[in-house]
């Protein structure tokens, strides 16, 4: 009996600690400005129509149809902010270069594949969406630049008259926002990293990120989880215990989008017109 009691006590302690580690921030007043909107993943792009991802034409197309947009931001060598998903430009531009080593003046040499457009800068995109539809801004941390990247983005958002939230896979971004910019809506991006055999992250780090175990430190307002992995027990606990908000990515069918919307998920879609 003593052994069983100790096992049950240990299990109870672990369960309580697990729940405490998932504690988010709740009831941010600005969340209402983001709801009721569908978000085009990297803009409303369509390569068959020569509209690349994260391009001004893709963002313009989203705004014109009443959609918000999710976009990705990197910090360049001259302090400018490039709106592009990959750090290496080989996939999106057809020739290799690391965006963090380039300046804004270099972008003319890297047109986006399938068009004559170049990688936009964040101020251009903010101007397009101002007083119109909301943005989900993902910060892409490279080489430990979480603080510098976050500061640069927040400097541009000061005085911008629009609705947005900021998300990142990297908890350091959320920590910096929590400490220095507590008013902004912040979100933890995640998915089931345990499925991956990538050597970029150690197994313990992959487990921590998958199970959202940095939440008690970063206190996210929402979790942006890969919708195919949303059976994650930590995400389900956060929703049940704390009512944390959820964004779902990347949705590729109208049926899935409508199912998730009925469950209160903020949808990030791609590859079809809702």
């Amino acid at each position: 009996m003593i052994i069983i009691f100790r096992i049950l006590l240990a299990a109870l302690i672990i369960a309580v600690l697990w729940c405490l580690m998932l504690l988010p921030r709740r009831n941010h007043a600005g969340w209402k400005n983001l709801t009721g909107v569908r978000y085009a993943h990297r803009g409303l792009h369509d390569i068959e129509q020569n509209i690349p991802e994260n391009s001004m034409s893709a963002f313009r197309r989203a705004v014109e149809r009443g959609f918000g947009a999710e976009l990705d931001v990197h910090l360049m060598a001259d302090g400018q902010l490039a709106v592009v998903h990959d750090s290496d430009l080989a996939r999106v531009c057809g020739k290799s270069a690391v965006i963090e080593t380039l300046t804004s003046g270099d972008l003319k040499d890297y047109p986006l594949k399938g068009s004559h457009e170049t990688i936009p800068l964040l101020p251009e995109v903010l101007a397009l969406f101002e007083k119109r539809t909301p943005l989900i801004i993902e910060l892409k941390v490279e080489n430990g630049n979480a603080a510098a990247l976050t500061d640069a983005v927040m400097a541009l958002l000061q005085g911008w008259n629009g609705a947005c939230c900021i998300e990142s896979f990297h908890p350091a971004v959320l920590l910096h926002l929590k400490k220095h910019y507590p008013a902004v809506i912040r979100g933890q991006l995640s998915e089931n990293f345990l499925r991956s055999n990538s050597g970029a992250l150690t197994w313990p780090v992959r487990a921590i990120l998958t199970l959202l175990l940095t939440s008690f430190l970063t206190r996210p307002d929402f979790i942006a989880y890969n919708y195919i992995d949303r059976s994650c027990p930590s995400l389900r606990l956060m929703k049940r215990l704390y009512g944390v908000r959820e964004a779902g990515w990347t949705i590729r069918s109208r049926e899935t989008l409508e199912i998730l919307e009925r469950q209160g998920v903020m949808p990030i879609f791609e590859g079809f017109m809702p």
Side-chain angles (χ1 to χ4, degrees):
M1 286 295 296
I2 293 177
I3 294 175
I4 294 175
F5 174 78
R6 287 176 176 173
I7 292 172
L8 291 175
L9 180 61
L12 177 62
I13 291 171
I14 290 171
V16 170
L17 289 175
W18 184 18
C19 291
L20 290 176
M21 293 178 77
L22 299 178
L23 186 65
R25 182 169 68 169
R26 291 181 283 180
N27 302 320
H28 193 295
W31 185 257
K32 64 181 182 295
N33 298 322
L34 304 175
T35 57
V37 178
R38 294 168 172 175
Y39 293 84
H41 187 239
R42 307 178 196 172
L44 197 59
H45 58 93
D46 186 342
I47 200 62
E48 292 184 0
Q49 297 188 45
N50 298 321
I51 303 173
E53 66 177 59
N54 278 321
S55 65
M56 288 303 294
S57 59
F59 295 130
R60 194 173 298 112
R61 190 168 177 243
V63 167
E64 289 170 352
R65 286 162 175 78
F67 299 125
E70 180 271 354
L71 57 83
D72 311 280
V73 177
H74 289 260
L75 182 63
M76 302 181 71
D78 59 355
Q80 296 294 318
L81 293 161
V83 179
V84 64
H85 183 269
D86 303 352
S87 180
D88 186 335
L89 302 183
R91 180 182 67 87
V92 294
C93 295
K95 57 179 179 178
S96 186
V98 175
I99 190 67
E100 282 78 16
T101 66
L102 302 180
T103 67
S104 54
D106 296 324
L107 295 182
K108 65 182 184 300
D109 299 323
Y110 295 89
L112 294 166
K113 286 172 68 176
S115 77
H116 298 294
E117 295 189 66
T118 56
I119 294 167
L121 298 176
L122 184 57
E124 300 174 77
V125 182
L126 292 178
L128 177 63
F129 281 85
E130 189 164 26
K131 297 182 180 180
R132 300 178 81 177
T133 54
L135 288 171
I136 300 173
I137 302 173
E138 179 183 346
L139 303 196
K140 293 288 193 179
V141 175
E142 297 289 340
N143 304 314
N145 68 354
L149 171 61
T150 305
D151 287 339
V153 170
M154 290 307 303
L156 284 180
L157 291 176
Q158 300 306 309
W160 178 66
N161 193 3
C164 73
C165 59
I166 294 180
E167 64 180 13
S168 182
F169 282 103
H170 205 301
V173 167
L174 277 72
L175 279 172
H176 197 72
L177 289 171
K178 177 187 170 187
K179 182 176 181 180
H180 298 284
Y181 310 99
V184 72
I185 300 172
R186 56 185 184 262
Q188 181 65 60
L189 267 161
S190 193
E191 62 180 330
N192 184 1
F193 289 100
L194 298 174
R195 292 180 309 183
S196 170
N197 293 319
S198 170
L201 299 173
T202 64
W203 188 91
V205 170
R206 284 188 281 139
I208 289 168
L209 295 177
T210 297
L211 295 173
L212 304 166
L213 298 182
T214 62
S215 295
F216 75 105
L217 294 172
T218 60
R219 302 295 299 274
D221 295 294
F222 69 98
I223 304 298
Y225 220 85
N226 188 335
Y227 86 92
I228 66 173
D229 297 327
R230 63 190 300 260
S231 61
C232 168
S234 287
L235 177 61
R236 296 176 71 173
L237 268 174
M238 291 181 79
K239 290 172 67 68
R240 181 177 293 274
L241 291 177
Y242 306 121
V244 73
R245 307 291 186 174
E246 180 187 0
W249 57 274
T250 302
I251 301 163
R252 292 185 168 86
S253 76
R254 182 189 299 272
E255 180 184 11
T256 300
L257 183 145
E258 292 176 349
I259 290 171
L260 292 177
E261 281 185 327
R262 288 195 292 269
Q263 297 174 10
V265 177
M266 190 166 75
I268 303 171
F269 71 92
E270 181 181 74
F272 70 101
M273 189 72 71

